[in-house]
Amino acid sequence: MNRLRKNTVKFFKLAHFAIEKAVNSVFWIDSSANILHANEVAVKTHGYSAGELTDLRLTDLNIDYGENNWSNLWERVKAERAVIIECRHRTKEGSEFPVECTFNFIEFNGEEYGCAFIQDITGRKKSEEDLRKALDEVKKLKNQLQAENIYLQEEIKTDHNFEEIVTNSEEMKKVLRKIEQVASTDASVLILGETGTGKELIARAVHSISNRKDRPLVKVNCAALPANLIESELFGHEKGAFTGAISKKTGRFELADGGTIFLDEIGDLPLELQSKLLRVLQEGEFERLGNSNTIKIDVRVIAATNRNLEEAIDKGRFREDLFYRLNVFPLRIPSLRERKEDIPLLINHFIKKASAKLGKNVSKVHKKTIDALINYPWPGNRRELQ
């Protein structure tokens, strides 16, 4: 009997020692959440003395399970015998930290008790948050890549004249020298010229020798899109943002992040959207339709028009402040009438393209025909000649 009593005392001391030296906080509580005992880790972690803790209730430490919802939690612990929850604890100084609480229900001598093991999960939560952010970034990059692929697949379907600019005229050589000057900067470029002078080709030349050449050059034709769709096209929209928005759409500015956006026919941009474009140029941010979250971007803007924007300003059709933001580095493209010496070169160039496409072999063009083409005024410029 003495031996049994000695072993009982020994194991009681061992159990008490194990609780005191446990790596997690351990609280013994009654059914009213009164703290009956707290181990050394609980004292150290929460910043109270052992005596101070036994004057408190566990609900004084637990931010998420206070006086109002403790009874519901206790009933659950009684029913399930063991309950694991995540919540937040507060220290004596008022700082908060996330914890995982394991509540065990114990009935002893007709009375109800709880033993709560409290594990600080600050490190785990940080790892989970870092993982979530990493997965969100992967998802964002995946969505962006898919959107860029869709855009590029659409672009490949059309003829963009990727070949080098064909010229021998001094006027065009001046333009090319200006392209070399501005390409390495992030300055906004405004390309001015008549219809068909090759403004998009110039925009592509600026992008192709810029520091952004490895990122997309995204094109938007402001004249080709209906006024009610331009905002969605430029800035994107969320599902359900408007009638017909059956899915989320990434806007062209977001697609061009890190690269260049080419706003063709900028003079046709509706006045109500010009202020939003000005904000993007000034602050590098915008919101998708149907979403109040601000999206930050880094985009170089190249715009083009065949309109007289200063005249449009006088008539109230174009914002003066937007014009000055776009007109940082103007490039005027000469008409074909101003570079007639390029017409024979372009004739030969276009014939080679057409011959390859049609499977023909056109070796030369009669001089009389070339002379006639040189003397034609070409109102449609390069595009008409092609």
Side-chain angles (χ1 to χ4, degrees):
M1 181 63 71
N2 288 337
R3 182 180 178 187
L4 179 61
R5 184 176 297 166
K6 286 181 181 180
N7 284 340
T8 301
V9 172
K10 177 181 177 182
F11 283 112
F12 175 79
K13 290 180 178 180
L14 179 62
H16 180 75
F17 179 82
I19 289 173
E20 288 302 311
K21 301 300 180 182
V23 295
N24 297 322
S25 298
V26 180
F27 292 91
W28 283 96
I29 58 175
D30 62 17
S31 59
S32 299
N34 295 308
I35 298 174
L36 306 176
H37 180 77
N39 72 345
E40 293 176 8
V41 175
V43 169
K44 182 178 179 181
T45 302
H46 292 80
Y48 292 93
S49 68
E52 287 174 325
L53 282 176
T54 53
D55 287 335
L56 298 175
R57 302 174 67 201
L58 193 60
T59 50
D60 296 324
L61 307 178
N62 196 316
I63 297 169
D64 301 305
Y65 288 90
E67 185 72 30
N68 294 331
N69 51 8
W70 167 256
S71 59
N72 291 334
L73 176 60
W74 181 253
E75 290 303 317
R76 183 183 163 197
V77 171
K78 280 181 63 177
E80 299 180 22
R81 288 338 225 199
V83 171
I84 300 175
I85 61 171
E86 287 188 7
C87 49
R88 293 167 298 156
H89 267 214
R90 184 188 293 112
T91 65
K92 184 178 180 179
E93 290 75 21
S95 61
E96 300 175 5
F97 59 98
V99 296
E100 181 182 87
C101 301
T102 302
F103 289 98
N104 295 279
F105 177 77
I106 298 171
E107 195 168 2
F108 182 72
N109 287 340
E111 296 190 31
E112 297 176 347
Y113 300 94
C115 185
F117 293 86
I118 312 295
Q119 180 183 0
D120 185 341
I121 56 173
T122 302
R124 189 174 86 190
K125 283 295 181 183
K126 184 180 184 304
S127 297
E128 290 175 356
E129 179 64 15
D130 290 344
L131 178 60
R132 185 191 64 76
K133 288 180 179 178
L135 291 174
D136 286 346
E137 185 65 20
V138 169
K139 184 179 178 181
K140 178 183 175 183
L141 292 173
K142 179 183 176 183
N143 291 339
Q144 184 176 0
L145 182 60
Q146 287 175 340
E148 287 176 5
N149 285 340
I150 292 170
Y151 173 76
L152 291 173
Q153 286 167 9
E154 291 173 351
E155 290 287 279
I156 288 168
K157 294 174 185 176
T158 60
D159 181 11
H160 282 302
N161 299 320
F162 285 102
E163 70 276 0
E164 294 179 0
I165 297 168
V166 177
T167 187
N168 198 31
S169 77
E170 285 305 313
E171 288 300 311
M172 276 302 294
K173 286 179 181 177
K174 288 179 184 177
V175 173
L176 297 182
R177 285 193 288 271
K178 288 183 178 180
I179 290 173
E180 290 178 347
Q181 289 176 347
V182 76
S184 61
T185 74
D186 279 337
S188 299
V189 177
L190 181 61
I191 305 172
L192 305 167
E194 296 179 6
T195 297
T197 49
K199 294 187 287 295
E200 182 180 343
L201 196 61
I202 296 300
R204 291 182 179 278
V206 173
H207 176 73
S208 66
I209 61 172
S210 74
N211 298 329
R212 299 170 179 266
K213 63 185 178 181
D214 295 327
R215 295 293 299 150
L217 169 65
V218 177
K219 176 190 171 186
V220 181
N221 189 326
C222 300
L225 291 168
N228 61 331
L229 291 181
I230 293 180
E231 184 173 5
S232 169
E233 198 66 29
L234 289 176
F235 307 120
H237 64 252
E238 298 293 335
K239 181 179 179 181
F242 52 85
T243 303
I246 59 175
S247 62
K248 176 181 171 183
K249 178 181 176 63
T250 301
R252 296 296 175 95
F253 267 100
E254 202 170 345
L255 282 174
D257 191 21
T260 305
I261 192 165
F262 175 48
L263 302 174
D264 200 7
E265 306 297 349
I266 189 66
D268 293 293
L269 189 69
L271 198 59
E272 61 269 20
L273 282 180
Q274 292 177 24
S275 59
K276 295 190 177 182
L277 176 58
L278 181 64
R279 180 192 172 201
V280 176
L281 290 171
Q282 289 177 332
E283 302 173 21
E285 62 183 33
F286 62 92
E287 290 85 31
R288 287 198 201 105
L289 285 172
N291 192 328
S292 60
N293 293 331
T294 299
I295 298 172
K296 290 277 188 181
I297 52 161
D298 172 24
V299 174
R300 199 248 185 94
V301 175
I302 302 176
T305 184
N306 60 3
R307 295 181 181 274
N308 186 329
L309 293 185
E310 290 172 318
E311 185 179 297
I313 291 170
D314 292 337
K315 294 180 179 179
R317 297 174 183 169
F318 202 85
R319 291 180 63 114
E320 187 175 19
D321 47 5
L322 177 59
F323 171 73
Y324 289 125
R325 278 284 177 177
L326 294 170
N327 197 40
V328 176
F329 197 97
L331 283 174
R332 181 188 171 275
I333 313 305
S335 66
L336 208 50
R337 297 183 301 281
E338 300 172 88
R339 45 183 287 217
K340 288 188 175 183
E341 61 268 46
D342 282 343
I343 291 177
L345 293 175
L346 289 167
I347 290 170
N348 184 56
H349 176 71
F350 291 142
I351 282 176
K352 283 183 178 178
K353 281 186 67 178
S355 296
K357 187 174 182 179
L358 299 173
K360 302 288 186 181
N361 184 18
V362 180
S363 58
K364 63 180 180 178
V365 179
H366 200 281
K367 184 179 183 302
K368 194 173 180 180
T369 303
I370 292 178
D371 289 342
L373 294 173
I374 289 173
N375 292 320
Y376 179 70
W378 298 110
N381 290 290
R382 188 178 182 277
R383 187 181 297 124
E384 185 182 3
L385 175 61
Q386 183 175 2

